[in-house]
């Protein structure tokens, strides 16, 4: 089966990402290749494109849908971006895109364990070669660690009661499937909470982030993008929840400052100079029409900046 997906904020992203039709571009999270396919339509045959994804299944399926002359596809984690570029002998690039979160492919294939609507083994690994899975976290983390993860990564207000229920349940039997966990979550929260949105949504988000080290990877890759960009080159990041967006926003603001001395100093002593110019004063969000056609675009936020 050839996999196609619906990329979010497609024209806006490509408009910010593209500067030189003959340039070098990096897609750090290839996914279904929607953004890259649209970018390629605007590139010359001399342009160079590098596409990364840590999910080998996605990489192989998306390769069947792409026809880009100078395309290099890499199975790798974007947290190692500088090392990957060094191995390819590439010093500087014109544009970098990071489209965060879980892909449509991962959500729609039940066996991957990302969806709280389908019954499957508790997996959630984007890179299936890694050992840590959601099953390991649910069945071995302490109650305190589970509470911390659900609260920190899922912003789950019932983190404590959900974690306590998980620990109590697994004393008698391991929690093996997604719907087994969903049932446990539903029984751990008030009825009013179950009526708002799906009560397992935040827990599944938190587990996925922990399994794949998503926030740590984002924190690690952002400084690397600045080092790799040519002057005038651009970094574009699409996030899907407030934790990611907060990291991206703060990073871009910090790198856009000329002085980072503590407030109150009469003279600047840091000698810091801005490295980025922020192009999106507020994040770009999807239109009502796009959200109607693609509900997964509702939470998407695009931020972009150019290298000074």
């Amino acid at each position: 089966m050839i996999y196609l997906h619906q990329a979010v904020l497609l024209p806006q992203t490509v408009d910010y990402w593209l500067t030189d039709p003959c340039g070098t571009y990096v897609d750090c999270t290839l996914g279904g290749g929607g953004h890259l396919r649209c970018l390629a339509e605007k590139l010359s045959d001399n342009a160079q494109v590098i596409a990364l994804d840590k999910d080998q299944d996605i990489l192989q399926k998306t390769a069947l849908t792409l026809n880009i002359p100078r395309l290099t596809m890499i199975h790798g984690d974007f947290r190692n971006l500088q090392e990957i570029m060094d191995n390819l002998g590439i010093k500087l690039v014109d544009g970098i895109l990071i489209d965060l979160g879980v892909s449509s492919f991962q959500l729609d294939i039940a066996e991957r364990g990302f969806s709280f609507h389908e019954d499957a083994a508790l997996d959630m690994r984007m890179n299936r070669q890694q050992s840590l899975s959601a099953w390991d976290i649910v069945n071995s983390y302490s109650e305190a660690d589970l509470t911390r993860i659900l609260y920190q990564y899922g912003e789950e207000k019932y983190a404590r009661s959900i974690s306590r229920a998980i620990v109590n349940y697994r004393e008698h039997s391991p929690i093996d499937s997604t719907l087994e966990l969903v049932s446990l979550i539903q029984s751990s929260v008030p009825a009013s909470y179950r009526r708002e949105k799906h009560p397992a949504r935040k827990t599944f988000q938190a587990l996925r982030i922990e399994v794949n080290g998503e926030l740590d990877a984002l924190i690690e890759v952002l400084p690397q993008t600045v080092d790799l960009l040519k002057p005038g080159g651009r970094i574009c990041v699409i996030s899907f929840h407030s934790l990611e967006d907060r990291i991206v926003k703060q990073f871009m603001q910090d790198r856009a400052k000329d002085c980072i001395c503590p407030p109150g100093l009469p003279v600047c002593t840091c000698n810091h100079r801005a490295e980025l110019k922020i192009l999106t004063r507020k994040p770009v969000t999807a239109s009502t029409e796009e959200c109607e056609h693609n509900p997964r675009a509702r939470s998407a936020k695009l931020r972009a900046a150019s290298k000074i």
Side-chain angles (χ1 to χ4, degrees), residues 9 13 49 51 66 98 102 106 138 168 170 203-204 217 221 250-251 270 291 307-308:
L9 301 171
T13 299
V49 178
L66 296 175
I98 305 174
V102 64
Q106 290 161 333
V138 168
N168 290 339
R170 74 190 192 195
T203 296
F204 271 60
V221 74
Q250 190 61 58
F251 175 81
C270 69
C291 292
K307 176 79 170 283
I308 294 175

Side-chain angles (χ1 to χ4, degrees), residues 224-237:
Q224 298 176 55
T225 65
V226 178
D227 294 338
L228 284 166
L229 285 174
K230 297 177 182 177
R234 294 179 175 181
I235 168 68
C236 301
V237 185

Side-chain angles (χ1 to χ4, degrees), residues 14-23 25 39 94-95 232-234 306:
V14 172
D15 284 347
Y16 279 114
W17 193 10
L18 176 66
T19 55
D20 179 2
C22 298
Y25 294 88
L39 176 77
D94 294 270
R234 294 179 175 181
S306 64

Side-chain angles (χ1 to χ4, degrees), residues 53-307:
D53 206 295
K54 61 181 178 181
D55 191 322
Q56 196 160 28
D57 294 346
I58 286 182
L59 207 62
Q60 292 171 348
K61 287 178 170 62
T62 303
L64 301 174
T65 73
L66 296 175
N67 182 22
I68 302 173
R70 297 182 64 198
L71 170 64
T72 302
M73 301 184 75
I74 302 289
H75 176 225
D77 192 325
F78 63 60
R79 72 198 311 159
N80 303 316
L81 181 60
Q82 183 68 64
E83 180 184 348
I84 291 169
M85 294 296 105
D86 288 345
N87 291 338
L88 294 173
I90 297 173
K91 301 297 183 185
L92 296 172
V93 302
D94 294 270
I96 299 172
L97 171 65
I98 305 174
D99 183 359
L100 298 165
V102 64
S103 77
S104 301
F105 173 77
Q106 290 161 333
L107 282 172
D108 293 340
I109 303 300
E111 68 186 55
R112 301 300 298 270
F114 287 99
S115 174
F116 42 77
H117 296 296
E118 305 286 344
D119 198 21
L122 277 171
D123 192 337
M124 300 192 194
R125 292 172 298 167
M126 292 180 179
N127 179 3
R128 294 216 260 190
Q129 294 180 0
Q130 77 174 42
S131 58
L132 181 70
S133 71
W135 188 95
D136 299 306
I137 295 169
V138 168
N139 287 287
S140 67
Y141 276 31
S142 68
E143 182 178 337
D145 283 339
L146 285 171
T147 300
R148 173 183 57 80
I149 290 165
L150 299 192
Y151 184 77
Q152 184 176 345
Y153 295 158
E155 299 177 298
E156 173 57 74
K157 62 181 178 180
Y158 294 107
R160 190 178 299 278
S161 60
I162 293 171
S163 299
R164 186 179 302 117
I166 288 172
V167 171
N168 290 339
Y169 185 96
R170 74 190 192 195
E171 287 180 358
H172 309 287
S173 174
I175 303 167
D176 292 323
S177 75
T178 52
L179 292 190
E180 194 175 2
L181 178 59
V182 168
S183 177
L184 195 58
I185 294 167
Q186 289 174 328
S187 66
S188 307
V189 299
S192 59
Y193 190 62
R194 296 197 295 269
R195 289 192 293 267
E196 292 174 11
K197 290 183 178 179
H198 198 293
R201 180 175 56 94
K202 293 182 176 181
T203 296
F204 271 60
Q205 172 183 297
L207 291 173
R208 191 201 78 222
I209 290 172
E210 175 70 10
V211 168
N212 298 288
E214 294 176 34
L215 298 186
D216 289 340
L218 178 59
I219 291 169
E220 289 178 33
V221 74
L222 288 173
Q224 298 176 55
T225 65
V226 178
D227 294 338
L228 284 166
L229 285 174
K230 297 177 182 177
R234 294 179 175 181
I235 168 68
C236 301
V237 185
I238 302 173
S239 62
F240 290 87
H241 56 77
S242 60
L243 300 174
E244 295 170 337
D245 182 59
R246 196 176 302 131
I247 291 170
V248 176
K249 176 184 178 181
Q250 190 61 58
F251 175 81
M252 288 184 175
Q253 287 179 341
D254 289 346
R255 294 300 180 104
K257 292 178 181 176
D258 264 337
C259 175
I260 56 173
C261 289
L265 284 183
V267 179
C268 173
T269 58
C270 69
N271 296 317
H272 184 269
R273 292 295 175 264
E275 299 171 277
L276 292 178
K277 176 184 178 183
I278 296 174
L279 303 176
T280 50
R281 189 176 63 85
K282 292 184 177 180
V284 178
T285 57
S287 65
T288 302
E289 182 181 5
E290 180 177 0
C291 292
E292 289 175 353
H293 287 91
N294 184 9
R296 290 174 182 164
R298 286 177 296 192
S299 57
K301 292 183 179 180
L302 167 66
R303 293 186 185 271
S306 64
K307 176 79 170 283

Side-chain angles (χ1 to χ4, degrees), residues 6-40:
Q6 200 169 356
V8 302
L9 301 171
L10 183 56
Q12 303 97 316
T13 299
V14 172
D15 284 347
Y16 279 114
W17 193 10
L18 176 66
T19 55
D20 179 2
C22 298
T24 301
Y25 294 88
V26 182
D27 188 338
C28 289
T29 45
L30 177 63
H35 293 105
L36 189 56
R37 195 176 294 108
C38 184
L39 176 77

